[in-house]
Amino acid sequence: TISVLFLYDAAKKILKKKYLSVAVACVYAVLIAFFGYTENILTESLATSLMCVMLWCITQVIEASSKRLYIIISCAMVLLCIFERPSFLFLLPLLAVFFTVFIVWERRWDLIKCVVISFGVCLLVVFAYCKHNEALTGHFMLSNIAYYNQISIMLDNDMWMNSKYPEISFEAQQRVKHNEQNENGLASAEELCARFGYKEMSEYLKDCRKIYRKRYVKTILSHSALEEPVIDLYMSDKIVGRNRQFIFEIIRTSFLPFSYATMLIFIVIELIYGFAIWIREKRLVYMSFGIPGCLLGIYVTSVISLFGAKLQRYAIHMLPLLVLLIAMEIDHLLKQLEK
C-alpha cells in the first residue's frame, strides 16, 4: 500500500496528468495483489517498496525547494535497498551519475557537498559491512547467499560427488536424501558451510565445477531468464491457485505479452525520446534517462541472479518502473497526437 501511494505521487510529478498517475498506481496495485506479493514476507517486496520511496525522493529533489533533505533520504533509501537486496548495489553509481548530471545541468554547485557526504557515508557503511562479513566468513562481500545457491544447485542436480573431498561428498549425499523428503536445499547448503567452513566449501565448489562443467553450464542455460516472459516472473506456483492460474493464462496470452525483449524496446524508445528532446529543445528530461537506466540495471542483475535456478521473484523490482515507463510513453504519444 505504501509503495502504491509513493508511486502514485511520483508518477503525478513526472507525468503531470492525474488520470495517468491514477492508472499507474491502479495497474501496479492490481498486479502486486494479483500475483500474491502482498501475501508473503520477501526481501524483494520490501526492496521494491523502498525503491518506490527512493523514486519519490528523486522527484522531490528535482522539484522541491529543500533538495538537500531529499538527497540524504534518497541515499538512505538506496542503502536500505542494498542491504535488503545486494543486487541493488548498482543503484549507488547510478544515483551518483544522476545527481552529478542534475547539479551540472541546473548549476546547483551548492549541492555538491551534500551529495559527496551522503555518498561517502553510504560507501563507508557498505565497506564496513563487507569487512564484517570478511571477518566472519573470509569473503569480502555483502552477502554469502551466492555460495548457498550454488551448493543448492549442485545438490539438486546430483553434481556433488568429488573424490578429492570424500567427507564433504558423503555429507552432501546425505543432504540430497534429506532434501528429497524435506525440499530444503538452501538450509542444507548453509549447514554444509557451517560444518566445513566457507574456505573449504569454496575450493570444493571450484573443483566440482571443473568436473561437472558441461552439465553445470547446461543447468544454467536451461534456466535462462532471457527465455521467460517478464510477466511469468511475477507469478508463484505456490501462491497462484487453479482459478488464478486460469485467469493468469488469459491475461498473459491476450493482454500482457511482455518479454524481456519487449521491455528493452520500451527502454530504447524512451532513451531515444530523451536524447531527441535534449538535442532539439536543449532540455533534459531526467526521468527519460533515469528510469530506463534503473530498469537496465535491474535487468542485468536479474539475469545474473537467475543463473542456475528459477528464482523468478528477483525481477519483481521491474514492476513499478515498467508500469511507469509505459505510462510515460503513452503520455509522449498523447502529446504528439495533440499537436
Side-chain angles (χ1 to χ4, degrees):
T1 304
I2 294 173
S3 63
V4 172
L5 293 174
F6 276 106
L7 183 64
Y8 164 74
D9 200 59
K12 191 166 66 172
K13 289 179 171 61
I14 294 168
L15 300 169
K16 310 296 184 185
K17 290 183 174 66
K18 189 173 181 180
Y19 67 90
L20 270 180
S21 305
V22 171
V24 168
C26 289
V27 170
Y28 175 59
V30 167
L31 286 176
I32 59 174
F34 180 80
F35 293 113
Y37 294 117
T38 56
E39 301 173 19
N40 291 270
I41 300 174
L42 297 171
T43 57
E44 290 83 1
S45 299
L46 181 54
T48 304
S49 297
L50 292 170
M51 189 177 65
C52 290
V53 177
M54 182 200 71
L55 177 65
W56 177 81
C57 288
I58 291 172
T59 61
Q60 293 296 108
V61 170
I62 296 171
E63 296 194 358
S65 56
S66 54
K67 298 184 187 299
R68 289 182 180 84
L69 174 63
Y70 290 107
I71 287 172
I72 293 169
I73 297 174
S74 298
C75 292
M77 290 299 106
V78 169
L79 195 60
L80 289 173
C81 284
I82 290 169
F83 281 110
E84 283 298 317
R85 296 296 313 162
S87 61
F88 270 170
L89 188 62
F90 77 91
L91 285 176
L92 268 181
L94 184 67
L95 198 61
V97 170
F98 184 89
F99 284 145
T100 301
V101 171
F102 177 80
I103 289 170
V104 173
W105 189 262
E106 303 290 336
R107 298 185 181 279
R108 290 299 305 267
W109 313 115
D110 57 306
L111 298 176
I112 292 176
K113 185 178 179 181
C114 178
V115 170
V116 170
I117 292 174
S118 298
F119 277 92
V121 170
C122 287
L123 291 172
L124 186 62
V125 171
V126 170
F127 178 81
Y129 189 74
C130 289
K131 289 297 290 182
H132 172 71
N133 276 341
E134 185 180 31
L136 292 175
T137 66
H139 298 289
F140 183 80
M141 56 178 62
L142 280 165
S143 174
N144 291 293
I145 191 64
Y147 286 97
Y148 300 154
N149 284 335
Q150 291 178 54
I151 295 167
S152 180
I153 290 167
M154 289 187 169
L155 293 178
D156 291 342
N157 292 277
D158 296 324
M159 294 186 280
W160 42 265
M161 182 56 68
N162 191 326
S163 59
K164 291 183 181 178
Y165 299 88
E167 190 175 354
I168 298 178
S169 296
F170 175 77
E171 189 64 32
Q173 184 182 25
Q174 301 306 309
R175 294 296 170 187
V176 169
K177 294 177 180 178
H178 177 77
N179 293 345
E180 288 174 354
Q181 298 175 348
N182 297 277
E183 297 184 353
N184 200 356
L186 282 176
S188 296
E190 187 176 0
E191 289 167 4
L192 285 170
C193 286
R195 176 168 179 178
F196 297 102
Y198 285 92
K199 186 175 180 180
E200 190 172 1
M201 286 301 298
S202 295
E203 295 300 320
Y204 166 74
L205 278 172
K206 289 178 184 177
D207 207 56
C208 282
R209 287 197 198 99
K210 293 177 183 178
I211 298 170
Y212 296 98
R213 185 171 300 278
K214 290 182 179 179
R215 189 173 172 186
Y216 186 77
V217 171
K218 186 178 179 181
T219 302
I220 292 173
L221 293 178
S222 67
H223 299 305
S224 173
L226 294 170
E227 299 173 0
E228 306 220 15
V230 83
I231 204 67
D232 278 347
L233 302 175
Y234 308 138
M235 187 182 74
S236 169
D237 292 335
K238 293 182 180 179
I239 299 169
V240 181
R242 187 171 297 176
N243 293 332
R244 284 190 184 183
Q245 178 78 18
F246 176 71
I247 297 170
F248 170 79
E249 289 298 331
I250 295 174
I251 291 175
R252 186 184 68 174
T253 54
S254 60
F255 184 61
L256 290 172
F258 295 128
S259 65
Y260 273 121
T262 311
M263 185 195 70
L264 290 174
I265 291 171
F266 282 117
I267 289 173
V268 170
I269 291 172
E270 190 61 32
L271 288 173
I272 291 172
Y273 172 82
F275 278 112
I277 294 294
W278 183 20
I279 294 168
R280 188 176 60 194
E281 301 180 14
K282 304 299 180 184
R283 179 168 60 90
L284 192 59
V285 183
Y286 296 107
M287 290 304 170
S288 289
F289 297 99
I291 290 177
C294 194
L295 272 171
L296 282 171
I298 296 172
Y299 168 76
V300 172
T301 54
S302 292
V303 171
I304 293 171
S305 298
L306 283 164
F307 80 95
K310 287 188 176 181
L311 301 177
Q312 299 163 338
R313 66 184 187 275
Y314 288 170
I316 69 171
H317 314 309
M318 295 179 180
L319 188 55
L321 296 177
L322 184 59
V323 173
L324 182 55
L325 180 65
I326 294 169
M328 288 168 62
E329 295 184 2
I330 292 172
D331 184 43
H332 302 331
L333 182 62
L334 291 175
K335 286 178 181 177
Q336 291 300 316
L337 291 174
E338 287 174 2
K339 291 180 181 180

